[in-house]
Amino acid sequence: MKRLTRIAVWQLIFFFSLSAFAQTANSPLMAPMQQAASKLKSVQVTGDPDYDYVFRMRLLSQGALEMAKVEAQQGADPAAKQKAQAFVDAKQKELADLEALQRQMRPSRPNQAYVQQQSRQIEAIVLKMQPDGVAAKLTGKLDEDFNTLLTEYNRDASDLSRAYLSFGNNASVKAVAQKMVAQ
């Protein structure tokens, strides 16, 4: 009888653990970040560091923007909601600036070393968005999860920007990258 009770307890613990994991993995904050990671992986690169960096930063930033919009609308903590709204406002301007830069550019000078570096970084971002990646850090509490995902976004944006700065030539794009590293 005791053995059956222990098995039942372990089954309940396992069930509730899976349930909690499913809730955090299905967080409304994760969907935009996972979509951005998927787009980053599927995009056809030109090999031009300036052009590819701007294009990829637009995709990554769009995911973070959508994630922050969810927090701004659904969050419970007023300070977290205010932080999210400030992020949304800043990202919208930044995205507009990135779009304007991209319209002015034409891919021209493929750099295989840059492509390889960026491919490794994009793969790391994609892996983070898997259920056993950053989702495993989520608590199911929207405000806390927002801070966790925002930290991950900032880290990824900074890593992509540092790599770009080693290869890029466009002064305007370099200024954007330096700003991303500084954040």
Side-chain angles (χ1 to χ4, degrees):
M1 185 70 165
K2 286 184 180 183
R3 182 179 169 164
L4 285 175
T5 303
R6 271 188 277 178
I7 291 172
V9 167
W10 282 110
Q11 286 175 334
L12 283 172
I13 289 170
F14 180 73
F15 172 75
F16 285 115
S17 296
L18 280 179
S19 176
F21 177 75
Q23 286 176 340
T24 58
N26 292 327
S27 166
L29 298 172
M30 280 297 291
M33 299 303 285
Q34 288 170 327
Q35 289 170 356
S38 178
K39 287 177 185 175
L40 282 168
K41 185 172 179 151
S42 67
V43 74
Q44 182 70 26
V45 297
T46 67
D48 181 316
D50 300 317
Y51 188 86
D52 289 350
Y53 170 77
V54 170
F55 189 73
R56 284 183 162 159
M57 281 310 299
R58 281 184 55 212
L59 293 175
L60 186 64
S61 295
Q62 186 65 46
L65 170 72
E66 296 304 320
M67 182 261 309
K69 284 180 180 179
V70 172
E71 169 63 26
Q73 293 168 355
Q74 298 176 21
D77 178 25
K81 288 177 75 162
Q82 185 176 16
K83 179 180 177 180
Q85 189 58 54
F87 183 84
V88 166
D89 296 341
K91 265 315 145 195
Q92 286 175 331
K93 181 183 179 335
E94 183 181 289
L95 280 168
D97 292 345
L98 286 171
E99 287 174 30
L101 266 174
Q102 190 175 10
R103 279 194 301 272
Q104 297 169 4
M105 302 169 74
R106 296 291 171 259
S108 60
R109 49 180 195 84
N111 183 313
Q112 192 58 35
Y114 176 74
V115 170
Q116 291 171 348
Q117 173 79 16
Q118 288 292 283
S119 293
R120 287 190 297 273
Q121 290 178 310
I122 297 303
E123 190 61 35
I125 291 170
V126 169
L127 287 173
K128 265 197 248 185
M129 292 301 126
Q130 300 300 315
D132 60 343
V134 74
K137 297 178 184 179
L138 301 183
T139 64
K141 297 176 184 165
L142 199 68
D143 300 321
E144 290 177 21
D145 292 347
F146 169 70
N147 285 321
T148 299
L149 289 170
L150 187 60
T151 299
E152 291 296 329
Y153 160 77
N154 285 331
R155 185 176 296 127
D156 293 339
S158 181
D159 289 347
L160 287 173
S161 298
R162 274 193 204 90
Y164 163 75
L165 288 169
S166 299
F167 296 96
N169 284 332
N170 185 301
S172 297
V173 178
K174 280 188 164 191
V176 169
Q178 289 166 340
K179 183 178 173 185
M180 291 284 189
V181 169
Q183 289 178 352

